[in-house]
């Protein structure tokens, strides 16, 4: 038997063991493979205090924005150089396939580059003030200590869209890796250290919801919480912010519609649908999990999809040939099976998949549920797994109504060759992202986020960096005359 790998937390510039330790399970076997440091209230407090000190004292606040950018460039280069190692760790600890983690982490380096370049483009403004003897301008100052909380899927990516803009803006952070598969973020901390960020600027811990996540979000020195996870946990985060009045940005789940009109290129749409729901084994917040297909092409489209779903290569996540690997946790797989069963009980027809396979690992096959005529819970609730729920429509108006018939509002896809129809759909769909004739494309340049139960705030793009600043307004009187009547507000 090979020895367990041991990981450490990163607090105040030092690699430390947590207050306790827990085992991380390999999702492809269910066996423990590494020991993780569990942060509880005391570790979290030390990390937040270190971040607060680093914000106010020492080297970090003395750096100008260009120098902060240079540190971020160095971090980006290190991420690029270590992308393969990080990818293997993420695959090992979360089950996300190596084909995806290696490409995604190489791209994560570009997110850090984007925000490195932005650091010295965050500008205040001189205001054309309506008073003759005043000079008035605004400064963009760092919002403060940021708590960045991420779930298990795409941890390095979801952390980069928080750490990049926060550092560009001059903030300091405590990053909480998920208790499920924290290895890649704990390893990433070593690159932060190597890049030369002053102690306390970035701290990386992991632990469980109540003892770690909750004590972090309600800590009095935390100014902003950037959270990605489920809506139920987001409610805890918002309640905790009633204590410290921290601002929040919430990137939550979805039940994103994938709309296919009869005039679409069906082969291309089917490939996009496979990417939308089976990539990342469906554990993607933007998963296109509700297929709305025009009635006249439903049978043809489902036949193409079924064939593609059944040809997907299911296997060991570290194998480059694998297309669908295990889910991160057995808990997640069991949640998916329960929701499939409830949907079938409600009348959904299983087109393919739908059964947890025998044997070790958290595997679940690509599954398609035909929900026409069934009030299936799978049409409303997030599976966060490789399960597609299908309904058909006959008119564009019904397609819009179905697309918006959800408590979520993160992403959407529209497949049509009719340009006017595409534009009408773009306007009508209530979601933060509309992909037209494509799906699951992301970029550091493009804002990302949702509405309704999918949360609020945007990650990516220039505006995200501004969200990590607060505006200070400066009034400077230019007159040498004595201040006139002190009882009149001017
Ligand atoms: O996520 P949680 P879970 C959805 C998906 C999934 C469901 C539950 O449907 O089935 O949520 O997943 C930390 N205060 N998504 O339970 O709990 C936790 O430790 C502060 C969608 O695993 O939201 C982890 O680091 N933090 C989704 C992080 O929150 C707390 C991604 C996310 O875990 C906390 C994940 C607390 N009280 C799940 N309790 C997406 N949109 O990508 C837990 N945490």
């Amino acid at each position: 038997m090979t020895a367990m790998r041991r990981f450490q937390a990163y607090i105040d510039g030092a690699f430390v063991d947590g207050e306790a330790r827990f085992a991380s399970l390999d999702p492809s076997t269910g066996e423990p493979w590494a020991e993780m440091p569990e942060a509880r209230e005391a570790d979290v407090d030390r990390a937040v205090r270190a971040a607060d000190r680093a914000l106010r004292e020492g080297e970090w606040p003395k750096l100008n924005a260009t120098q902060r950018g240079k540190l971020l460039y160095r971090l980006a280069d290190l991420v690029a150089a270590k992308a393969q190692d990080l990818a293997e760790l993420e695959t090992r600890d979360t089950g996300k396939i190596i084909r995806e983690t290696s490409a995604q982490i190489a791209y994560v380096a570009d997110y850090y580059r984007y925000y490195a370049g932005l650091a010295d483009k965050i500008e205040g403004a001189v205001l054309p003030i309506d008073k003759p003897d005043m000079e008035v301008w605004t400064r963009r100052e760092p919002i403060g200590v940021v708590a960045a909380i991420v779930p298990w899927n795409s941890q390095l990516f979801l952390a980069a869209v928080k750490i990049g803009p926060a550092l560009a803006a001059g903030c300091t952070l405590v990053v909480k890796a998920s208790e499920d598969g924290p290895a890649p973020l704990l390893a990433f901390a070593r690159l932060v250290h190597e890049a030369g960020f002053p102690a306390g600027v970035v701290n990386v811990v992991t632990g469980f919801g109540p003892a770690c996540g909750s004590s972090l979000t309600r800590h009095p020195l935390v100014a902003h919480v950037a959270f990605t996870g489920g809506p139920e946990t987001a409610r805890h985060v918002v309640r905790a912010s009633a204590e410290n009045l921290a601002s929040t940005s919430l990137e939550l789940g979805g039940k994103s519609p994938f709309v296919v009109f009869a005039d679409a290129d069906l082969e291309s749409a089917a490939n996009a649908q496979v990417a939308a729901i089976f990539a990342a084994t469906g554990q993607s917040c933007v998963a296109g999990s509700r297929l709305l297909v025009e009635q006249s092409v439903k049978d043809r489209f489902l036949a193409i999809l079924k064939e593609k779903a059944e040809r997907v290569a299911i296997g060991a996540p570290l194998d480059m040939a694998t297309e669908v690997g295990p889910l991160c946790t057995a808990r997640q797989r069991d949640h998916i099976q329960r929701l499939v069963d409830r949907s079938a009980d409600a009348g959904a027809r299983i087109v393919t998949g739908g059964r947890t396979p025998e044997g070790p690992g958290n595997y679940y096959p690509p599954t398609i549920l035909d929900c026409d005529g069934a009030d299936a819970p799978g049409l409303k609730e997030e599976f966060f797994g490789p399960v597609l729920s299908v309904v058909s429509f006959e008119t564009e108006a019904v397609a819009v109504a179905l697309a918006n018939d959800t408590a979520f509002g993160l992403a959407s896809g529209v497949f049509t060759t009719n340009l006017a129809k595409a534009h009408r759909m773009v306007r009508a769909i209530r979601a933060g992202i509309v992909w037209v004739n494509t799906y699951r494309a992301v970029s550091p340049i493009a804002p990302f986020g949702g509405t309704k139960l999918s949360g609020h705030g945007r990650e990516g793009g220039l505006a995200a960096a501004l969200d990590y600043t607060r505006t200070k307004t400066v009034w400077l009187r230019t007159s040498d005359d004595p201040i006139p009547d002190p009882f009149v507000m001017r």
Side-chain angles (χ1 to χ4, degrees):
M1 203 175 110
T2 49
M4 296 258 279
R5 289 271 305 260
R6 272 174 82 90
F7 289 82
Q8 289 181 300
Y10 183 55
I11 299 177
D12 202 10
F15 292 92
V16 294
D17 294 325
E19 288 167 87
R21 304 194 70 78
F22 64 96
S24 203
L25 308 184
D26 180 334
S28 65
T29 61
E31 298 297 325
W33 79 280
E35 271 194 19
M36 301 300 172
E38 184 194 338
R40 296 180 182 166
E41 204 155 342
D43 277 346
V44 167
D45 184 57
R46 274 199 313 124
V48 175
R49 286 184 190 286
D52 182 58
R53 258 194 320 278
L55 185 74
R56 293 179 291 103
E57 302 165 11
E59 285 309 301
W60 183 245
K62 293 198 197 110
L63 297 182
N64 61 41
T66 309
Q67 291 169 319
R68 287 201 305 272
K70 283 184 179 160
L71 279 175
L72 272 163
Y73 276 122
R74 214 177 291 157
L75 180 60
D77 289 344
L78 288 167
V79 170
K82 295 281 183 203
Q84 197 52 30
D85 294 351
L86 292 171
E88 279 168 27
L89 274 182
E90 180 160 6
T91 295
R92 186 78 205 272
D93 212 15
T94 69
K96 193 180 175 85
I97 60 170
I98 191 73
R99 226 155 113 170
E100 174 146 9
T101 53
S102 33
Q104 190 179 55
I105 294 170
Y107 197 32
V108 161
D110 282 359
Y111 277 75
Y112 285 108
R113 277 197 195 101
Y114 176 80
Y115 285 107
L118 256 184
D120 56 11
K121 283 136 203 108
I122 298 172
E123 298 172 350
V126 177
L127 307 185
I129 205 74
D130 56 343
K131 304 184 194 307
D133 59 351
M134 294 283 187
E135 197 65 42
V136 182
W137 69 95
T138 57
R139 291 165 51 81
R140 289 275 187 179
E141 298 190 345
I143 198 166
V145 174
V146 173
I149 301 183
V150 294
W152 73 80
N153 59 314
S154 307
Q155 296 211 42
L156 289 173
F157 175 76
L158 295 172
V161 293
K162 299 169 178 58
I163 298 171
L167 292 177
C171 296
T172 58
L173 302 101
V174 177
V175 182
K176 184 203 165 303
S178 173
E179 62 274 40
D180 298 318
L185 257 183
L186 297 172
F188 162 84
R190 302 214 167 247
L191 307 185
V192 171
H193 192 74
E194 204 179 324
F197 284 90
V201 171
V202 180
N203 305 272
V204 183
V205 299
T206 187
F208 297 89
C212 181
S214 173
S215 53
L216 177 57
T217 52
R218 69 182 141 75
H219 198 291
L221 295 176
V222 165
H224 180 80
V225 181
F227 173 81
T228 303
E232 215 29 66
T233 311
R235 291 191 176 98
H236 286 287
V237 170
V238 172
R239 278 185 211 112
S241 75
E243 297 300 319
N244 53 14
L245 299 182
S247 54
T248 56
S249 51
L250 307 172
E251 202 271 276
L252 314 175
K255 198 72 221 178
S256 299
F258 187 106
V259 187
V260 178
F261 286 98
D263 60 34
D265 175 338
L266 294 188
E267 181 60 31
S268 176
N271 275 341
Q273 178 66 89
V274 167
I277 190 64
F278 301 138
T281 317
Q283 299 162 106
S284 163
C285 47
V286 294
S289 54
R290 278 191 304 143
L291 166 62
L292 314 179
V293 58
E294 195 160 346
Q295 176 62 44
S296 59
V297 292
K298 178 187 168 190
D299 289 347
R300 191 145 53 95
F301 194 62
L302 273 195
I304 302 173
L305 266 186
K306 178 175 188 304
E307 209 246 336
K308 286 185 189 291
E310 289 172 358
R311 259 197 292 126
V312 163
I314 303 171
L318 276 165
D319 183 342
M320 255 331 232
T322 295
E323 295 170 328
V324 164
L327 293 149
C328 184
T329 61
R331 178 183 85 241
Q332 189 60 20
R333 183 202 54 204
D334 296 346
H335 155 75
I336 291 165
Q337 185 64 66
R338 275 195 302 275
L339 194 45
V340 167
D341 291 345
R342 283 169 55 217
S343 297
D345 289 347
R349 185 175 66 84
I350 296 174
V351 177
T352 186
R355 272 280 135 255
T356 302
E358 299 290 323
N362 310 323
Y363 289 92
Y364 201 84
T367 296
I368 301 175
L369 304 177
D370 181 351
C371 300
D372 260 340
D375 186 18
L379 278 171
K380 303 249 183 272
E381 297 169 34
E382 190 177 34
F383 281 96
F384 216 55
V387 183
L388 178 66
S389 303
V390 185
V391 278
S392 63
F393 63 85
E394 283 184 355
T395 64
E396 187 180 319
V398 172
V400 169
L402 287 171
N404 290 332
D405 184 19
T406 170
F408 295 100
L410 183 52
S412 58
V414 175
F415 287 75
T416 176
T417 48
N418 179 325
L419 191 60
K421 193 189 284 180
H423 277 277
R424 290 195 297 273
M425 293 298 290
V426 165
R427 285 188 203 163
I429 291 179
R430 291 199 295 276
I433 303 164
V434 186
W435 283 299
V436 180
N437 293 330
T438 183
Y439 206 87
R440 218 167 166 252
V442 291
S443 163
I445 302 161
F448 181 103
T451 181
K452 302 196 278 179
L453 281 194
S454 295
H456 54 72
R458 293 291 177 267
E459 298 190 310
L462 169 62
L466 300 183
D467 286 348
Y468 288 93
T469 67
R470 63 171 101 247
T471 302
K472 180 179 278 174
T473 308
V474 187
W475 292 77
L476 189 149
R477 188 162 175 257
T478 54
S479 169
D480 288 333
D481 297 339
I483 291 187
D485 187 349
F487 297 103
V488 176
M489 196 176 175
R490 322 172 51 229

